[in-house]
Structures are given as structure tokens and as C-alpha cells.
């Protein structure tokens, strides 16, 4: 799926799906169905389903089968992809019962070529009209939907479809003057941000309650209750998705004033700078946009004053007189990355050490450190490489404030620099500040969570009979081997156990494979995987940040607090040989 999406994003034809893979998926589904218990909910519908002949008409339904219902759906005028929406609607209507007939034909709906607005379905179902109307409330991008019961007289489906086309649909499409405007014609309305935040918080509470109800239903084992909780969860998920759609705004709200700010800063510094933004249409959480306004200004000011050299310095270094600063915004499955880069002089680690000694900052432990570790000095409170205070910088505030804001949002900021070639500040943040799917894991009797989007696979382990070779302990997969590290050893003073330990700890039974396709991966050994949840993500305070590689916190439905691991910080806490 990922390779096909990448190909489509690059305007290329997607690679064909492997036939053996499809066959394997079909076999897995058959295996699952054999293990499933007999359904205890709505047995009547299943019992009557095989009796309906293929060419049945609505009036000819045999006694005991569901009655025919006609649905006439009119798509919104604002619907961007009517072909896709029509097919999705066909799939949703199919969940109400057996679709006897459609207009246009099922072939046209499946092909995705439908470009009209009105679709008609005749469905055989046991549900009453009230139930169907309730289910249809979840159908998206509809201007209207008319639902009517089939007449008892036997007449072909085609005649019934034609009859359902009469007055209601016509009246809907050509409403008389003074009638209420259709939904698509309604203009946007202004909503106070406080009210929107209330909706988001309330949906977050519903998500927490849903998880609590799921746990209770699982423990009680009552089929009817499990089904009710499942339907409740479905409604909560739809509500959450729509609320988050309202909350998402384009990144241009954050970036649109930065070019002017860059021009003003360049003029004050007597420099010529070209500023470029890439990814302005990427949609982000509104709360994220508001929180990043000040940090982005600090980073831009730093790039103009500390990064880009003067005209004379750039010409002497063989560079164009005009400097370049670029901001790239990229969105992943659950994260957003912002990279602010310049082609300036870069950061000199030796200069940072010299300046730190002048400010009486303890740097003895950095004498033989890597350049990346020395560059971290720029985030020290009150640190600045400027000897004089200018209009632009030199006050020693800014970079430490940037890091504090990012950590408060559950994100992080890292620096990449090459002396003489430029620097890049990489901001890695959660896509939304509201709700995140996580995988719960049990580690040494502690319940922790990993962001589900970073988990590639869950594997069952067998403790090896022969001791491993410390950090060389590997997990052999189908096409590669990856390093296996016990998650419990990555906290505090037990870090050395990763190198010195030779056997899997007692109780470590499963491994979580984290990473990305085509990139480095590592397996984390845990006692067990405790399930999948959607949690309301909260920031992690400075105290918890010191205790381990945590990227957020949450509260489970039963009131238990949950620490969410920061995967990138987790990898950085590995010994150097494993990081490489």
C-alpha cells in the first residue's frame, strides 16, 4: 500500500499487487473466520440471507425475508469527487441489507466514473425506517436523502425506482422562492475558538469513555453489550473525525507573514536574503499553528542574524551575495516536520565552546564530544554567541524558549549544521494536539505506550537457548535481521544492560518492531502487548522529561495515568554502536 501511495504521489503508475500476497490475505481471512464464534447478534438476518433468489424484485420478496426500501440520495454540489463518494455510499447502503437494484448501475458506481448528483437504491432489509434514517445520518457529503418503504404490490424494481424519482427529488433540486436553502448553498459560519476547543475537549472525553466501556464489555463478555459499545465507538470516531476537520487549517496561516518579517530583519542587518516557503497547503492543527508562531520567529531571527553572512563575507567565501533561507513543511501519518535551513556560515563547535567558557558554563564534559552534542549548547538558557546586543539578537533568549515550547507540544527540535555551508533546524511535532492512537505495552510491571503510527509489527518471541552476544543480539525476520533491545533496559542506570546482557529477561515474550520502511528499524522486547487505544494526548512536563524518553502523557478510561514513549528520543538513548 505504501509503495502504491508513493507512486501515485509522484504521478507514476502504481506497481501491481503481488498475486501470492493477495492469495495469502484471502487465506488469512478464511483462517480468521474459522476461529470466530457463531454470531449472536441479529441471527434472523443471516438466516434469511441465502433464501433470496438472485433476480428477486421488491414486490416478490418471499414471506419471512426483509421488506424493500428505496433510498434516493442527492450529493452535495460541493462534493469534489462524486464518483468516489457514490461508490462509498453504495458500500454504506450495502450494510443496511441486500442491495436489489441501483440507478445508475452497480458497474458504473464501482468504476468511479459517476458524475451526476442523484443515486437511487432499492434495499431488502429487516430494519425499520427509523433505524435506517438513523444509520443514514452518518452518510457524508449529501444534500438530501429520501427514504420510503416499498409498496406491497408486486412490480419490478425498475418501476419502483422510477416512481421514487418523482416529487421529493424534483422539489429538492428546484425549491420555490423563500424555501430553506440546501445545505451546500449555506455559507460558512463563524465560531468562537473557545467553542471549538470545547468540542475538541468533549470529544476527547468521549474517546476516553469509549476505551473504558470497551474494557468493561470485554470483561463482562455480554455480546449485546459488546455490540452496543462497538456502535458507540463508531459514532465517537465519526464525531472525532469531523471535529478535527474543522480544527485543521493550512500552514500558510503560520508562514504567510514570515517573508515580510525576513525582509525587515534583513534590512536591519544590512543583508540581502531570499526567503522561500514549501508546503504552505499542508493542513495542521489550529492549536499547533498558534503555539508555533513565536518559536518560528525566533528561528528566523537566528537564521538572519547568526546564519547568513554579510555581503563581503559571502563574496570572500565564493558564495552569491544574496543569502537563502528556506522553510519546508511536510506531513506524515502522525507527525509533521518543519525544517528551517539557511546557506550561511553554519555553527562552529569550537566557537561555541570558547563562548561557553567566557560565560562560565561548565563544558569540561564536552571536550571530546561529538559536534552534534556541542551544538546543543545553543539551547542553554542565556547563551549567545553575540558579544554585543543588536536590534535583532544578542540577548541570550530565544533558542531555549523554542525548545521549551516544542517539548510542551510533545515535539522536539534538532540542529544539523556544516561549517561554511549552512544550518538546518528540524522541528518534529505531533500532527494534532488532541487524540492519538497508541499501542499499550507491559514493561517490568509498568504500563507504557508507543505511538501506533511508528509501530511496524508485533512479534512473538522465543527465549533463545544459546546466550546472545550482548549488543549483537539480533532478531531474524523474513528478509533481514534487526537489533533486539529490551525496552526495560533503556531507562536510567540500566542502560549498560543492553551491552552486557546476554539473555532475554524473564517474562520478555513479545517484540515491537519500530521504524520506517526502507530505513533503520529496531525491535523492542516487552513483557506483553496490552492492546490498542486512542488517548487524549497531553504534554509532558520538565520533571517527567528527565526521567525517560517520554513524548506525552494520557489518562486511561479507568483513571490510570499513561506515559507515551518518544520513539526518536528512545533511539537516541541507545548505545552509540546500536545508533549507528
Amino acid at each position: 500500500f505504501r509503495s502504491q501511495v508513493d507512486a501515485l504521489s509522484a504521478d507514476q503508475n502504481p506497481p501491481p499487487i503481488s498475486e501470492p500476497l493477495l492469495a495469502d490475505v484471502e487465506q488469512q481471512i478464511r483462517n480468521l473466520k474459522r476461529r470466530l464464534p457463531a454470531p449472536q447478534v441479529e441471527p434472523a438476518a443471516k438466516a434469511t440471507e441465502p433464501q433470496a433468489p438472485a433476480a428477486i424484485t421488491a414486490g416478490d420478496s418471499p414471506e419471512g425475508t426483509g421488506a424493500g426500501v428505496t433510498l434516493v440520495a442527492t450529493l452535495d454540489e460541493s462534493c469534489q469527487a462524486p464518483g468516489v463518494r457514490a461508490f462509498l455510499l453504495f458500500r454504506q447502503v450495502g450494510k443496511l441489507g441486500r442491495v436489489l437494484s441501483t440507478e445508475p448501475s452497480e458497474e458504473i458506481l464501482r468504476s468511479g466514473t459517476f458524475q451526476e448528483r442523484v443515486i437511487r437504491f432499492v434495499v431488502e432489509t429487516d430494519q425499520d425506517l427509523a433505524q435506517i434514517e438513523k444509520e443514514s445520518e452518518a452518510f457524508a457529503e449529501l444534500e438530501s436523502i429520501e427514504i420510503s418503504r416499498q409498496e406491497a404490490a408486486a412490480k419490478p424494481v425498475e418501476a419502483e425506482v422510477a416512481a421514487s424519482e418523482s416529487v421529493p427529488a424534483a422539489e429538492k433540486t428546484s425549491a420555490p422562492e423563500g424555501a430553506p436553502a440546501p445545505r451546500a448553498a449555506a455559507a460558512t459560519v463563524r465560531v468562537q475558538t473557545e467553542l471549538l476547543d470545547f468540542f475538541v475537549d468533549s470529544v476527547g472525553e468521549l474517546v476516553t469513555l469509549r476505551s473504558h466501556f470497551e474494557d468493561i464489555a470485554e470483561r463482562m463478555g455480554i455480546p449485546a453489550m459488546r455490540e452496543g459499545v462497538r456502535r458507540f465507538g463508531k459514532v465517537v470516531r465519526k464525531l472525532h473525525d469531523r471535529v478535527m476537520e474543522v480544527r485543521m487549517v493550512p500552514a500558510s496561516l503560520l508562514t504567510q507573514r514570515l517573508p515580510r518579517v525576513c525582509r525587515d530583519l534583513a534590512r536591519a542587518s544590512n543583508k540581502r536574503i531570499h526567503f522561500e516557503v514549501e508546503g504552505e497547503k499542508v493542513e495542521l492543527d489550529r492549536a499547533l499553528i498558534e503555539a508555533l508562531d513565536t518559536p518560528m520567529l525566533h528561528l528566523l531571527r537566528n537564521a538572519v542574524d547568526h546564519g547568513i553572512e554579510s555581503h563581503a563575507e559571502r563574496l570572500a567565501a565564493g558564495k552569491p551575495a544574496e543569502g537563502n533561507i528556506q522553510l519546508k513543511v511536510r506531513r506524515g501519518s502522525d507527525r509533521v516536520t518543519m525544517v528551517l535551513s539557511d546557506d550561511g556560515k553554519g555553527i562552529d563547535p569550537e566557537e561555541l565552546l570558547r563562548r561557553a567558557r567566557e560565560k562560565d558554563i561548565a563544558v569540561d564534559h564536552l571536550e571530546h564530544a561529538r559536534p552534534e552534542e556541542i551544538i546543543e549548547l545553543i539551547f542553554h538558557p542565556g547563551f549567545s554567541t553575540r558579544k554585543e546586543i543588536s536590534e535583532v539578537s544578542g540577548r541570550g533568549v530565544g533558542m531555549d524558549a523554542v525548545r521549551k515550547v516544542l517539548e510542551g507540544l510533545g515535539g522536539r527540535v534538532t540542529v544539523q549544521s556544516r561549517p561554511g555551508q549552512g544550518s538546518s533546524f528540524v522541528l518534529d511535532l505531533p500532527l494534532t494536539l488532541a487524540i492519538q492512537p497508541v499501542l499499550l505495552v507491559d514493561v517490568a510491571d509498568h504500563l507504557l505506550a508507543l505511538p501506533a503510527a511508528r509501530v511496524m509489527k508485533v512479534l512473538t518471541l522465543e527465549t533463545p537457548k544459546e546466550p546472545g552476544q550482548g549488543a549483537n543480539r539480533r532478531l531474524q525476520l523474513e528478509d533481514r535481521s534487526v537489533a533486539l533491545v529490551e525496552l526495560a533496559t533503556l531507562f536510567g542506570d540500566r542502560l549498560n544492560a543492553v551491552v552486557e546482557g546476554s539473555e532475554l529477561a524473564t517474562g520478555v515474550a513479545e517484540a515491537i518492531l519500530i521504524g520506517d520502511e526502507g530505513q533503520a528499524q529496531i525491535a523492542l522486547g516487552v513483557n506483553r502487548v496490552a492492546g490498542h487505544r486512542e488517548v487524549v494526548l497531553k504534554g509532558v512536563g520538565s520533571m517527567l522529561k528527565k526521567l525517560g524518553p517520554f513524548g506525552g502523557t494520557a489518562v486511561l478510561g479507568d483513571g490510570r495515568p499513561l506515559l507515551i514513549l518518544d520513539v526518536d528520543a528512545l533511539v537516541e538513548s541507545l548505545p552509540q554502536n546500536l545508533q549507528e
Side-chain angles (χ1 to χ4, degrees):
F1 283 152
R2 183 170 299 176
S3 64
Q4 290 197 326
V5 170
D6 291 341
L8 290 171
S9 300
D11 290 330
Q12 300 172 356
N13 291 326
I17 299 177
S18 162
E19 289 298 331
L21 173 63
L22 292 177
D24 185 45
V25 170
E26 292 291 343
Q27 183 60 47
Q28 296 285 353
I29 292 173
R30 287 193 291 270
N31 294 342
L32 285 172
K33 285 182 176 178
R34 281 197 291 268
R35 292 200 296 268
L36 288 175
Q40 301 181 32
V41 180
E42 300 176 0
K46 185 174 181 63
T48 60
E49 187 176 346
Q51 273 92 38
I56 191 170
T57 61
D60 296 330
S61 298
E63 188 175 354
T65 60
V69 172
T70 299
L71 296 91
V72 181
T74 304
L75 300 180
D76 268 342
E77 290 182 355
S78 59
C79 182
Q80 297 295 318
V84 176
R85 175 53 56 194
F87 174 66
L88 293 177
L89 188 61
F90 170 73
R91 296 280 299 274
Q92 290 174 308
V93 169
K95 296 177 182 179
L96 301 175
R98 197 163 70 94
V99 179
L100 302 177
S101 177
T102 69
E103 186 179 333
S105 66
E106 180 180 335
E107 289 74 17
I108 293 177
L109 295 180
R110 288 187 177 277
S111 68
T113 58
F114 178 73
Q115 295 296 323
E116 303 299 325
R117 293 182 58 202
V118 180
I119 316 164
R120 299 168 187 82
F121 304 93
V122 178
V123 185
E124 182 186 50
T125 177
D126 287 333
Q127 298 188 37
D128 57 32
L129 291 182
Q131 288 175 305
I132 297 174
E133 288 176 358
K134 189 173 182 180
E135 291 281 344
S136 68
E137 291 176 359
F139 298 168
E141 294 189 293
L142 291 188
E143 179 183 282
S144 67
I145 183 164
E146 303 290 339
I147 304 171
S148 60
R149 181 70 68 183
Q150 285 277 21
E151 296 178 7
K155 54 184 174 182
V157 174
E158 291 77 7
E160 184 64 27
V161 170
S164 67
E165 182 178 89
S166 56
V167 179
E171 289 180 350
K172 198 72 181 180
T173 55
S174 57
E177 188 176 353
R183 194 169 60 188
T188 57
V189 295
R190 293 186 178 183
V191 178
Q192 291 183 342
T193 55
E194 292 82 1
L195 184 59
L196 184 59
D197 291 338
F198 167 77
F199 285 137
V200 173
D201 293 340
S202 298
V203 171
E205 293 295 331
L206 283 174
V207 170
T208 304
L209 282 174
R210 183 192 65 181
S211 298
H212 187 39
F213 291 158
E214 287 173 346
D215 290 338
I216 295 175
E218 196 65 32
R219 288 197 299 268
M220 296 184 70
I222 302 174
M225 185 173 184
R226 280 204 299 263
E227 176 64 15
V229 171
R230 185 191 68 80
R231 292 188 177 185
F232 171 70
K234 192 175 180 181
V235 174
V236 170
R237 160 53 60 190
K238 291 174 181 175
L239 182 61
H240 164 249
D241 289 344
R242 298 313 293 264
V243 169
M244 292 313 301
E245 284 179 18
V246 177
R247 190 178 167 112
M248 302 299 275
V249 295
S252 59
L253 292 181
L254 173 67
T255 63
Q256 61 187 0
R257 72 187 187 106
L258 294 181
R260 180 180 57 82
V261 172
C262 184
R263 286 196 301 271
D264 293 344
L265 292 173
R267 191 178 298 113
S269 303
N270 194 26
K271 298 176 181 179
R272 289 166 50 197
I273 299 175
H274 172 71
F275 184 74
E276 182 182 358
V277 179
E278 181 181 312
E280 286 187 319
K281 294 183 179 180
V282 173
E283 290 195 334
L284 306 175
D285 193 325
R286 180 187 59 81
L288 203 63
I289 294 287
E290 294 176 353
L292 287 175
D293 186 61
T294 301
M296 195 57 66
L297 288 178
H298 282 309
L299 291 175
L300 182 56
R301 183 182 293 114
N302 181 78
V304 171
D305 195 50
H306 294 276
I308 301 296
E309 312 96 326
S310 65
H311 293 187
E313 290 174 327
R314 291 184 64 85
L315 292 174
K319 296 181 178 180
E322 184 180 60
N324 285 289
I325 298 178
Q326 186 179 51
L327 174 62
K328 293 183 179 180
V329 183
R330 295 192 181 94
R331 173 176 168 175
S333 56
D334 72 323
R335 310 286 291 181
V336 58
T337 303
M338 297 183 178
V339 182
L340 186 74
S341 56
D342 63 71
D343 65 346
K345 60 185 177 182
I347 301 175
D348 184 359
E350 294 299 324
E351 172 66 16
L352 291 182
L353 287 175
R354 185 185 63 78
R355 186 63 178 159
R357 293 190 188 99
E358 292 177 1
K359 287 183 168 290
D360 296 326
I361 298 175
V363 292
D364 292 341
H365 64 290
L366 296 175
E367 289 294 338
H368 302 289
R370 293 176 298 154
E372 296 82 9
E373 296 174 333
I374 299 175
I375 289 176
E376 289 289 307
L377 282 171
I378 66 174
F379 296 105
H380 192 283
F383 183 82
S384 176
T385 56
R386 284 284 183 188
K387 293 184 178 180
E388 70 283 349
I389 296 177
S390 69
E391 182 181 341
V392 179
S393 64
R395 300 172 179 81
V397 296
M399 298 311 299
D400 60 319
V402 169
R403 170 159 284 181
K404 286 180 181 178
V405 171
L406 267 293
E407 290 178 350
L409 297 172
R412 55 208 298 269
V413 55
T414 55
V415 186
Q416 302 168 357
S417 181
R418 290 177 293 178
Q421 299 184 43
S423 304
S424 295
F425 288 81
V426 183
L427 281 64
D428 180 68
L429 294 146
L431 184 61
T432 173
L433 302 183
I435 297 171
Q436 184 179 51
V438 297
L439 191 73
L440 304 182
V441 294
D442 188 8
V443 181
D445 296 327
H446 293 283
L447 192 65
L448 300 174
L450 286 160
R454 303 299 297 274
V455 175
M456 297 187 62
K457 191 177 292 188
V458 177
L459 303 162
T460 302
L461 295 178
E462 293 183 7
T463 303
K465 297 178 181 179
E466 297 296 328
Q469 298 298 319
N472 293 324
R473 188 186 308 146
R474 311 288 294 182
L475 186 65
Q476 190 64 38
L477 302 179
E478 295 176 357
D479 55 347
R480 62 195 182 283
S481 67
V482 297
L484 173 61
V485 180
E486 294 170 40
L487 185 55
T489 62
L490 298 184
F491 296 93
D493 298 332
R494 291 180 290 174
L495 183 63
N496 291 334
V498 178
V499 179
E500 299 169 0
S502 60
E503 295 182 1
L504 289 175
T506 304
V508 172
E510 293 182 290
I512 311 297
L513 188 65
I514 61 172
D516 295 304
E517 290 285 356
Q519 298 183 9
Q521 300 165 11
I522 192 166
L524 303 174
V526 300
N527 295 90
R528 71 183 181 95
V529 174
H532 180 275
R533 292 288 183 275
E534 286 185 331
V535 297
V536 181
L537 187 65
K538 303 293 183 184
V540 56
S542 57
M543 184 178 295
L544 287 176
K545 197 73 175 178
K546 296 176 183 176
L547 296 180
F550 302 121
T553 60
V555 178
L556 295 176
D558 57 5
R560 286 180 294 169
L562 183 68
L563 292 171
I564 302 170
L565 295 167
D566 183 337
V567 172
D568 295 317
L570 200 66
V571 172
E572 287 182 1
S573 67
L574 295 171
Q576 185 61 31
N577 60 333
L578 282 183
Q579 284 191 36
E580 294 172 355

